[in-house]
């Protein structure tokens, strides 16, 4: 407290006052969530200028990995949404096993038909490639932005 300081005329008091001023300097606050401190590790990243990281995940994980996961999960959700809507709209692949299957029963019916094994293998190959790209992009062995699969 200021009551405990010597009068401002002494060197000790001037130093203590300067320290007190530095300690009370306002921290940089997030634009997205003005009641939270700005996460400095987001500087230079897309969207980082807004400072949105309410759970401070980027304090524990590199921003590159978080960005990669965000893009991958967003893409999977978009594909799942389109697939669900297309199935409920009546669109089907050719072949008897794909006809008269509801969205709810589709997974079980495809497992019974033996379609899911090859699908899982294909997804596994894509995931291995994506993992290799992520690791090499993170370690800057290749020039790659998070989420870029060099497809087009």
């Amino acid at each position: 407290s200021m009551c405990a300081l010597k009068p401002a005329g002494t060197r000790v008091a001037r130093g203590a006052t300067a320290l007190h001023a530095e300690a009370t300097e306002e921290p940089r606050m997030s634009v997205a969530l003005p009641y939270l401190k700005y996460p400095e590790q987001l500087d230079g990243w897309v969207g980082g200028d807004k400072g949105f990281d309410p759970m401070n995940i980027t304090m524990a994980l590199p921003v590159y990995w978080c960005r990669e996961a965000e893009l991958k999960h967003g893409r999977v959700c978009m594909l799942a949404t389109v697939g669900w809507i297309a199935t409920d709209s009546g669109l089907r692949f050719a072949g008897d096993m794909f006809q008269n299957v509801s969205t709810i029963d589709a997974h079980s019916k495809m497992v019974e038909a033996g379609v899911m094994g090859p699908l899982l293998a294909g997804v596994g190959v894509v995931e291995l490639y994506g993992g290799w790209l992520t690791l090499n992009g993170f370690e800057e062995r290749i020039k790659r932005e998070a989420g870029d699969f060099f497809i087009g």
Side-chain angles (χ1 to χ4, degrees):
S1 105
M2 292 300 287
C3 296
L5 296 178
K6 291 185 179 182
T10 67
R11 287 185 315 183
V12 174
R14 281 192 300 269
T17 304
L19 287 174
H20 180 69
E22 288 175 14
T24 59
E25 188 176 307
E26 293 294 320
R28 182 176 171 196
M29 302 305 282
S30 167
V31 176
L33 303 165
Y35 50 88
L36 294 178
K37 290 181 185 174
Y38 178 82
E40 300 295 331
Q41 63 276 13
L42 293 181
D43 277 340
W45 288 91
V46 174
D49 56 332
K50 303 297 182 207
F52 185 78
D53 188 11
M55 296 176 62
N56 288 321
I57 291 172
T58 55
M59 294 289 286
L61 298 169
V63 178
Y64 186 90
W65 288 91
C66 293
R67 184 104 170 105
E68 185 77 32
E70 177 184 25
L71 291 167
K72 181 183 287 188
H73 289 107
R75 290 170 179 165
V76 168
C77 289
M78 287 186 278
L79 286 171
T81 301
V82 168
W84 189 283
I85 292 169
T87 303
D88 279 356
S89 297
L91 295 173
R92 301 286 191 271
F93 287 113
D96 290 336
M97 73 175 109
F98 300 111
Q99 308 310 312
N100 301 320
V101 178
S102 72
T103 312
I104 302 295
D105 297 329
H107 179 269
S108 299
K109 296 288 185 186
M110 295 306 108
V111 169
E112 289 172 12
V115 173
M116 297 304 272
L119 177 64
L120 181 62
V123 169
V125 168
V126 171
E127 285 294 313
L128 284 172
Y129 175 63
W132 181 84
L133 286 172
T134 301
L135 182 62
N136 285 292
F138 175 70
E139 293 177 350
E140 296 181 351
R141 286 188 242 156
I142 58 175
K143 185 173 174 17
R144 174 185 184 262
E145 294 291 325
D148 187 2
F149 278 82
F150 301 111
I151 294 174

